[in-house]
Structures are given as C-alpha cells and as structure tokens.
Amino acid sequence: MKITGVSGSPRKDSNTDTLINTVLNSAAENGAETQLFRINDLSIKPCQSCYYCKENGVCKYQDDYVEIVKAIDESDVFVVGSPIYFSEVTAQLKTFIDRFYSIVNNQGINTKLVLVYVQANPDETLYKPYIEAQSNMLGNIGFEVIDIIHGYGIPEIENLEENKEFLEKAKEIGANL
Ligand SMILES: Cc1cc2nc3c(=O)[nH]c(=O)nc-3n(C[C@H](O)[C@H](O)[C@H](O)COP(=O)(O)O)c2cc1C
C-alpha cells in the first residue's frame, strides 16, 4: 500500500505535520510505503486560469505540483491537512488545491482521502460547515473521503500532546488503512 501525505502548515513539525505523520507512521507499521510533502518547502504556482489543462489534459506549469499529484495518483490513500487560518485552510494548501483543476480536466482521480484540520478555537462546530463543504468538493473531484481528523482547541504542539484523542484517532486510522 502506498500513502502520500501533504501538509499545508508553514511550520515544520507542526500540529498538522504531527497528525499526518501519525497516520503515515501507524500505516507504515503494517508495511505501507509512505511519503510526506510540505507545500511550504516547495515551489507551486497558483492556478493562472489559463485553461491549458482543458485542451491538453495536463497543467501548463510543470513545477512541484506535478510530482505531488503523480504521487497521489499512484497512491492508495492521500492524507492532506492544514491548520485553520482565518476560517479557512492556509494559502499554501489553497494554492495546491486550486491546481486540481487539471485533474478535473483530465483523467480524474479516485484515491482514498483522509482530511486533517487543526484549529486553536475550542469550538468544534465553528468550522464544521467549511470542512463539510471542502470534503464534498474533494469528493466531487473524485477522491473517496474515508475519514476526517479535526483537532480543535490546539494552538500549540503541547495542546496536541495533552489532547490525546486526536493523536489516537490518527493512529487508529493509519492502523486500519
Ligand atoms: C495567520 C493565522 C490565522 C489563524 N486563524 C485561526 C482561525 O481562524 N481559527 C482558529 O481556530 N485558529 C486560527 N489560527 C491558529 C491555528 O489554526 C492553530 O494554532 C493551529 O494549531 C496551527 O497548526 P500548525 O501547528 O499545524 O501550524 C491561526 C493561526 C495563524 C498563524
């Protein structure tokens, strides 16, 4: 089994990275082959709305996006996560997701998907509609959303370690892939 993780957090070893890596490491214990991409460390141009992909089936911009989406396409499971920044995913992850327009305009994708969100606010319900909308949108593109890890009340890494439920959920998901 192949699993590709993508983190939209700019912070290395962040809460998002930790939750994604917990899924990946737990699956690796059962023999899965895993890799993690950190968008902040890569070069990914925002979608230019040039519609080149509509005519050619691939994105015109052959930057780091191409390698990641190839890895996702070849994977059984894609684990993608972001902290919530001003009620949305980070600009890094949004930039990456907008490039999925080239998936819509070519052969499509059907990789299983685990979504990961982390927020400082302790109210679990606050961004639920946003998370649901994003999950539906990714499902419409072709991904099969199999689970969502949503950590709330987590401003810093210590809070993640104290709130074991989120790490345990990530571990369990990884073990069951
Ligand atoms: C620019 C910025 C905006 C943020 N906006 C929100 C927000 O709207 N709601 C919230 O609950 N937390 C917000 N946070 C807090 C982060 O979501 C939280 O600290 C998260 O755990 C960081 O995840 P990371 O360690 O993976 O980077 C914001 C943090 C930053 C830096």
Side-chain angles (χ1 to χ4, degrees), residues 15 152-164 166:
N15 297 317
Y152 47 89
I154 314 287
E156 298 295 341
I157 196 82
E158 308 85 66
N159 309 103
L160 187 62
E161 281 150 13
E162 283 158 15
N163 291 268
K164 291 250 178 289
F166 306 121

Side-chain angles (χ1 to χ4, degrees), residues 7-124:
S7 171
S9 172
R11 303 202 292 177
K12 198 166 187 300
D13 301 324
S14 62
N15 297 317
T16 306
D17 291 11
T18 303
L19 285 168
I20 296 172
N21 275 328
T22 302
V23 177
L24 264 45
N25 294 341
S26 174
E29 282 177 24
N30 289 337
E33 193 185 312
T34 69
Q35 63 181 329
L36 176 74
F37 293 97
R38 300 193 69 265
I39 300 170
N40 198 58
D41 301 339
L42 302 170
S43 171
I44 298 180
K45 193 175 174 71
C47 174
Q48 299 297 298
S49 188
C50 65
Y51 297 103
Y52 180 90
C53 61
K54 269 198 160 175
E55 287 183 12
N56 299 281
V58 291
C59 185
K60 184 175 177 182
Y61 297 96
Q62 296 292 297
D63 56 14
D64 291 332
Y65 166 80
V66 177
E67 185 198 345
I68 306 179
V69 88
K70 183 170 181 284
I72 293 169
D73 194 30
E74 290 170 0
S75 292
D76 302 284
V77 185
F78 169 36
V79 185
V80 64
S82 176
I84 295 289
Y85 276 12
F86 293 106
S87 311
E88 298 175 61
V89 295
T90 57
Q92 285 86 342
L93 184 58
K94 182 69 170 77
T95 299
F96 178 70
I97 287 175
D98 283 352
R99 294 283 296 276
F100 283 168
Y101 205 52
S102 62
I103 295 177
V104 176
N105 287 319
N106 66 23
Q107 80 287 354
I109 204 148
N110 58 9
T111 313
K112 291 192 170 96
L113 175 62
V114 176
L115 290 163
V116 177
Y117 297 89
V118 198
Q119 68 187 59
N121 197 297
D123 183 352
E124 184 188 4

